Amino acid sequence: MRIPSTQALRALDSFARHGSVWRAADELHLTRSAVSHQLRLLERDLGFDLLERIGKGVALTPRGQRYASDVRKALTVLGDAVTRHAGTGVGGSFSVSCTPGFASLFLCTHIGEFRQMYPDVALRILTPRRLDDVSNAEADAFIAFGVGNWPNRAVELLCEISFTPLCSPTLLNKIGGFSKPADVLRANLLHLGDTEDWARWLALSKVENPDTEGGIFFSDMNLVFSAAIAGQGIAMGDELTSRRALSEGRLVRPFDIAIKSPRSYFLVSEHAKAAHPVLEAFAGWLRSKLSENQR
């Protein structure tokens, strides 16, 4: 039996309590579209309608109300369990496979806090070859970057991201600033794997006939950011992994134009491991850190 994602259940619970998508989005620190997406996915997984349109708004169906009530009880039980075990009784070895960029640019800058909260957990961080790879048998859970399609796995949306050009102040001064989007073509375009993100951004910015095949290609986001910080070109980055570099002034954002990525970060695990005490503790801590980062 497929268990719906915790994120989707939390979206339903929040919507049921507040009666609106925007209030649920505010509580969960998500966009309204993300909450709506979670509710649609939950309806698909359950096979029945949770919502019905009433006038210009939406409300829970009678069956949706009954299901939301059951979900609320279940989430309360899970929350109580995490509270009872937080920092006490949660221990053992636990391995998390995480995309290199997320691991080095976000996770590794906060992971010491998790160790302080759960000192009996021996945490191991692994990196996969592909951003959407969840095949490593040594991993107990995965932080993967993809479209959310991992059949027969427990999947929870962690965060959606948008990409925008980022460069060093040194490069910006060297070029003389960017007055229009087409000016990015005066610098080396730094690519992660392929030209998809740059092609989409240039199309959105209405830059005509751009040559996206030029520039420099990297296999790791860390290398992309290292080159950008060193003034070797301009990269496509997201605020989640580049927040520290932006706040410290090592990178700047020359344009407000951003493209929503078709992929997001997800927490993925086997159903048999979804209730693992360490996974529950790690997932709760990770949600908290991501929420803080989005404020």
Side-chain angles (χ1 to χ4, degrees):
M1 179 180 178
R2 188 175 189 275
I3 301 174
S5 76
T6 306
Q7 185 80 352
L9 296 176
R10 291 174 68 229
L12 174 63
D13 174 60
S14 185
F15 176 83
R17 286 185 285 105
H18 295 293
S20 72
V21 171
W22 72 268
R23 287 184 182 276
D26 184 59
E27 179 179 77
L28 299 173
H29 303 290
L30 296 172
T31 63
R32 298 182 193 180
S33 62
V35 172
S36 296
H37 179 66
Q38 287 297 318
L39 293 174
R40 288 195 298 271
L41 289 179
L42 185 56
E43 284 185 321
R44 185 194 66 186
D45 288 347
L46 296 173
F48 60 83
D49 292 335
L50 293 169
L51 306 174
E52 59 183 349
R53 184 164 292 281
I54 299 178
K56 294 183 179 180
V58 292
L60 289 174
T61 63
R63 190 174 182 181
Q65 292 175 358
R66 293 193 297 272
Y67 184 74
S69 177
D70 289 339
V71 166
R72 181 59 180 166
K73 295 174 184 177
L75 291 177
T76 299
V77 171
L78 290 174
D80 290 344
V82 172
T83 300
R84 287 196 304 271
H85 294 290
T88 59
V90 177
S93 299
F94 195 78
S95 297
V96 178
S97 173
C98 182
T99 61
F102 188 100
S104 63
L105 299 170
F106 180 80
L107 187 62
C108 289
T109 63
H110 301 290
I111 199 63
E113 179 183 304
F114 178 81
R115 279 283 299 156
Q116 288 181 336
M117 295 173 63
Y118 302 96
D120 295 328
V121 175
L123 192 63
R124 183 184 181 199
I125 307 298
L126 314 172
T127 54
R129 292 184 178 181
R130 297 192 325 274
L131 302 182
D132 61 351
D133 183 12
V134 296
S135 64
N136 190 343
E138 295 182 3
D140 297 299
F142 303 83
I143 298 174
F145 188 63
V147 296
N149 183 27
W150 291 281
N152 303 317
R153 299 283 183 124
V155 179
E156 176 182 341
L157 175 66
L158 290 175
C159 61
E160 298 173 319
I161 62 170
S162 295
F163 289 119
T164 190
L166 301 173
C167 68
S168 71
T170 301
L171 178 68
L172 196 65
N173 294 331
K174 180 179 179 181
I175 289 179
F178 296 110
S179 60
K180 58 184 182 300
D183 288 345
V184 299
L185 300 175
R186 292 159 50 198
N188 287 321
L189 299 185
L190 307 179
H191 305 283
L192 177 62
D194 57 42
T195 63
E196 177 186 350
D197 295 329
W198 268 116
R200 291 179 61 231
W201 188 86
L202 291 166
L204 178 66
S205 304
K206 296 181 172 55
V207 177
E208 297 182 358
N209 303 316
D211 177 16
T212 59
E213 298 301 323
I216 308 170
F217 291 79
F218 300 89
S219 62
D220 190 307
M221 196 64 203
N222 294 295
L223 302 179
V224 175
F225 276 155
S226 292
I229 290 171
Q232 303 306 298
I234 184 166
M236 290 294 287
D238 64 271
E239 291 191 0
L240 176 67
T241 55
S242 62
R243 180 175 291 267
R244 172 166 290 190
L246 286 168
S247 65
E248 294 174 351
R250 291 179 292 144
L251 288 175
V252 295
R253 180 180 179 177
F255 299 100
D256 291 331
I257 304 170
I259 55 168
K260 183 179 178 180
S261 173
R263 295 176 291 274
S264 303
Y265 286 107
F266 293 86
L267 183 64
V268 185
S269 66
E270 295 180 4
H271 286 296
K273 297 181 179 180
H276 192 295
V278 179
L279 176 54
E280 289 183 346
F282 180 77
W285 169 81
L286 184 58
R287 290 188 211 104
S288 175
K289 297 310 298 181
L290 288 171
S291 294
E292 290 177 12
N293 194 74
Q294 292 171 357
R295 291 172 187 168

